[in-house]
Amino acid sequence: MKQSRLILDLAQHFNIKKIIKSIIFLLMVSICHNSFASEVNYLDLSKVLNTSVAGSKAKKELDKQINSTINKYKSQVEDIKKKEIALIAKKKNIKAEDYKKEIQILRKKVVEVNTQRQKELTRISKIQKKTRNDLVKALNPILIKYMSDNDIKLIVDKKNVLLGDISLEITSKILEMLNKELKSIKIQ
């Protein structure tokens, strides 16, 4: 009898322990969930960088540089193609050696134009990256100030959020603050 009573007491003791542990765990999860909900926000970083006054001005300027470069080299390639067509037309009237020399000269020009075009586009790409980094550097103090003013512990980029309450999105607020703080950014 004493053994069965002891076993019954132990079973109740362990069940009560499990129940208490479960209650404590659920309370902790609930408290953590409620406290973190107000401390985490998200923003659409791409939207902030691309639609801010400074970001959109920089984007327009860089797009203009890219289009100018593309058009410049496009016209050079068209000139080379016209020369090639003219050379093919007069192929019958010139010596084979002269024809080969002219073709080699045209091929070298094509390689040079493509190399110059690639260098120019790479240079513009580096400027784009630097401009983006400068814009992010200018955005950091704004985010830090917003975090301290609103008791926020973490801001996450919207592209990394699977699902979130719209009330936690701060894109428009940050965009407004950035537009007040930074009207343009220097493009080098």
Coordinates of all heavy atoms in Angstrom, one line a residue, residues 49-66 128 131 135 185 187:
L49 N 15.4 54.7 -50.4 CA 16.5 55.2 -51.1 C 16.1 55.7 -52.5 O 16.7 56.6 -53.0 CB 17.5 54.0 -51.2 CG 18.2 53.6 -49.9 CD1 19.1 52.4 -50.2 CD2 18.8 54.7 -49.2
N50 N 15.2 55.1 -53.2 CA 14.8 55.4 -54.5 C 13.8 56.6 -54.7 O 13.8 57.3 -55.7 CB 14.3 54.2 -55.3 CG 15.3 53.2 -55.5 OD1 16.5 53.5 -55.7 ND2 14.9 51.9 -55.5
T51 N 13.0 56.8 -53.7 CA 12.0 57.8 -53.8 C 12.2 59.0 -52.9 O 11.5 60.0 -53.0 CB 10.6 57.3 -53.4 OG1 10.5 56.8 -52.1 CG2 10.2 56.1 -54.4
S52 N 13.3 59.0 -52.1 CA 13.6 60.2 -51.4 C 14.1 61.3 -52.4 O 14.4 61.0 -53.5 CB 14.7 59.9 -50.4 OG 15.9 59.6 -51.0
V53 N 14.0 62.5 -51.9 CA 14.4 63.6 -52.8 C 15.9 63.4 -53.3 O 16.1 63.5 -54.5 CB 14.2 65.0 -52.1 CG1 14.8 66.1 -52.9 CG2 12.8 65.2 -51.7
A54 N 16.8 63.2 -52.4 CA 18.2 63.0 -52.7 C 18.4 61.7 -53.6 O 19.1 61.8 -54.5 CB 19.0 62.9 -51.4
G55 N 17.7 60.7 -53.2 CA 17.9 59.4 -53.9 C 17.3 59.5 -55.3 O 18.0 59.0 -56.3
S56 N 16.2 60.1 -55.5 CA 15.6 60.2 -56.9 C 16.5 61.2 -57.7 O 16.6 60.9 -58.9 CB 14.2 60.7 -56.8 OG 14.0 61.9 -56.2
K57 N 17.0 62.3 -57.2 CA 17.9 63.1 -57.9 C 19.1 62.4 -58.4 O 19.6 62.5 -59.5 CB 18.3 64.3 -57.1 CG 17.2 65.4 -57.0 CD 17.8 66.6 -56.2 CE 16.7 67.6 -56.0 NZ 17.2 68.8 -55.1
A58 N 19.7 61.6 -57.5 CA 20.9 60.9 -57.8 C 20.6 59.8 -58.9 O 21.4 59.6 -59.8 CB 21.5 60.2 -56.5
K59 N 19.5 59.2 -58.7 CA 19.1 58.1 -59.7 C 18.9 58.7 -61.1 O 19.4 58.1 -62.1 CB 17.8 57.4 -59.2 CG 17.4 56.2 -60.0 CD 16.2 55.6 -59.4 CE 15.7 54.3 -60.1 NZ 16.0 54.2 -61.5
K60 N 18.3 59.9 -61.2 CA 18.1 60.5 -62.5 C 19.4 60.9 -63.1 O 19.6 60.7 -64.3 CB 17.2 61.8 -62.3 CG 15.8 61.5 -62.1 CD 15.0 62.8 -61.9 CE 13.5 62.5 -61.6 NZ 12.8 63.7 -61.3
E61 N 20.3 61.4 -62.3 CA 21.6 61.8 -62.8 C 22.4 60.6 -63.3 O 23.0 60.6 -64.4 CB 22.4 62.6 -61.7 CG 23.8 62.9 -62.1 CD 23.9 63.9 -63.3 OE1 23.0 64.7 -63.5 OE2 24.9 63.8 -64.1
L62 N 22.4 59.5 -62.5 CA 23.1 58.3 -62.9 C 22.5 57.7 -64.1 O 23.2 57.2 -65.0 CB 23.2 57.4 -61.7 CG 24.2 57.9 -60.6 CD1 24.0 57.0 -59.4 CD2 25.6 57.9 -61.1
D63 N 21.2 57.7 -64.2 CA 20.5 57.1 -65.4 C 20.9 57.9 -66.6 O 21.0 57.4 -67.7 CB 19.0 57.1 -65.2 CG 18.5 56.0 -64.2 OD1 19.3 55.1 -63.9 OD2 17.3 56.1 -63.8
K64 N 21.0 59.2 -66.5 CA 21.3 60.1 -67.6 C 22.8 59.8 -68.0 O 23.0 59.7 -69.3 CB 21.3 61.6 -67.1 CG 21.3 62.5 -68.3 CD 21.4 64.0 -67.9 CE 20.6 64.4 -66.8 NZ 20.7 65.9 -66.5
Q65 N 23.7 59.5 -67.1 CA 25.0 59.1 -67.5 C 25.1 57.8 -68.2 O 25.8 57.6 -69.2 CB 25.9 59.1 -66.2 CG 26.3 60.4 -65.6 CD 27.2 60.3 -64.5 OE1 27.9 59.3 -64.3 NE2 27.3 61.3 -63.6
I66 N 24.3 56.9 -67.7 CA 24.2 55.5 -68.3 C 23.7 55.6 -69.7 O 24.3 55.1 -70.7 CB 23.4 54.5 -67.5 CG1 24.1 54.2 -66.2 CG2 23.1 53.3 -68.3 CD1 23.3 53.4 -65.2
Q128 N 27.4 54.4 -58.6 CA 26.1 54.1 -58.1 C 26.2 53.5 -56.7 O 25.5 53.8 -55.8 CB 25.4 53.1 -59.0 CG 24.7 53.7 -60.2 CD 24.1 52.7 -61.1 OE1 24.6 51.6 -61.3 NE2 23.0 53.0 -61.7
T131 N 27.3 56.1 -54.2 CA 26.1 57.0 -53.9 C 25.1 56.3 -53.0 O 24.6 56.9 -52.0 CB 25.5 57.5 -55.2 OG1 26.5 58.1 -56.0 CG2 24.4 58.4 -54.9
L135 N 24.1 57.5 -49.2 CA 22.7 57.7 -48.8 C 22.4 56.9 -47.6 O 21.7 57.4 -46.7 CB 21.8 57.4 -50.0 CG 20.4 57.9 -50.0 CD1 20.4 59.4 -49.8 CD2 19.7 57.6 -51.3
I185 N 22.5 64.6 -52.8 CA 23.7 63.9 -52.4 C 24.7 64.1 -53.5 O 24.3 64.2 -54.7 CB 23.4 62.4 -52.1 CG1 24.6 61.8 -51.5 CG2 23.0 61.7 -53.4 CD1 24.2 60.5 -50.7
I187 N 27.3 63.4 -56.1 CA 27.7 62.3 -57.0 C 29.1 62.6 -57.5 O 29.4 63.6 -58.1 CB 26.7 62.1 -58.2 CG1 25.4 61.8 -57.6 CG2 27.2 61.0 -59.1 CD1 24.3 61.7 -58.7

